[in-house]
Amino acid sequence: LRLHHSGRYLCGVRVVSQWRESEQVTVTVHSVPLLGGPCQCSPPGGEVALGDSLVLSCMVAVGTGPLSFSWHRKGSGAPLGTEPHLELHHAGENDSGQYRCWVSDGDSVAESDPMNVTVL
């Protein structure tokens, strides 16, 4: 269900030559707000040696419906990934910074806690 499914519903049936309808019922769909959680980093601590790989994971505490993910680094314009995990292969000096994951269920958006990444 999505928020736009809220409304009044009834059931109709044709019996011989007569059309009959049930009483209307009101259905209200409530949104469960997304709760952005922490980003987790592997290896822990957000520090990675130049040329090594680093994986960031976005945790979502609660959400309604299918979720979409978008990874962002502070100061960069375009999203860096659209999966719950972001892998930095062969980390370079330009990969250092603060990372966040945005999660959407189609009705609302939550932003994860920031993760600081330092390439040594």
Side-chain angles (χ1 to χ4, degrees):
L1 288 173
R2 308 301 271 164
L3 291 176
H4 71 270
H5 290 120
S6 293
R8 298 183 60 80
Y9 291 85
L10 60 85
C11 179
V13 64
R14 181 172 303 279
V15 178
V16 186
S17 61
Q18 283 188 321
W19 179 256
R20 297 194 182 192
E21 293 181 348
S22 68
E23 294 292 321
Q24 288 190 358
V25 63
T26 300
V27 174
T28 305
V29 180
H30 298 279
S31 176
V32 176
L34 285 169
L35 300 175
C39 286
Q40 293 183 345
C41 185
S42 179
E47 292 185 348
V48 61
L50 188 66
D52 282 352
S53 293
L54 179 76
V55 177
L56 302 177
S57 300
C58 187
M59 304 300 174
V60 179
V62 178
T64 301
L67 301 177
S68 62
F69 296 84
S70 178
W71 283 94
H72 302 268
R73 184 178 63 238
K74 189 173 184 175
S76 90
L80 304 171
T82 57
E83 299 294 325
H85 305 286
L86 177 68
E87 187 165 352
L88 303 175
H89 298 282
H90 310 290
E93 293 174 6
N94 293 337
D95 291 323
S96 290
Q98 190 178 75
Y99 288 76
R100 288 184 183 267
C101 178
W102 296 348
V103 184
S104 174
D105 64 2
D107 294 317
S108 59
V109 177
E111 192 173 311
S112 71
D113 298 332
M115 168 60 69
N116 291 315
V117 171
T118 304
V119 180
L120 306 170

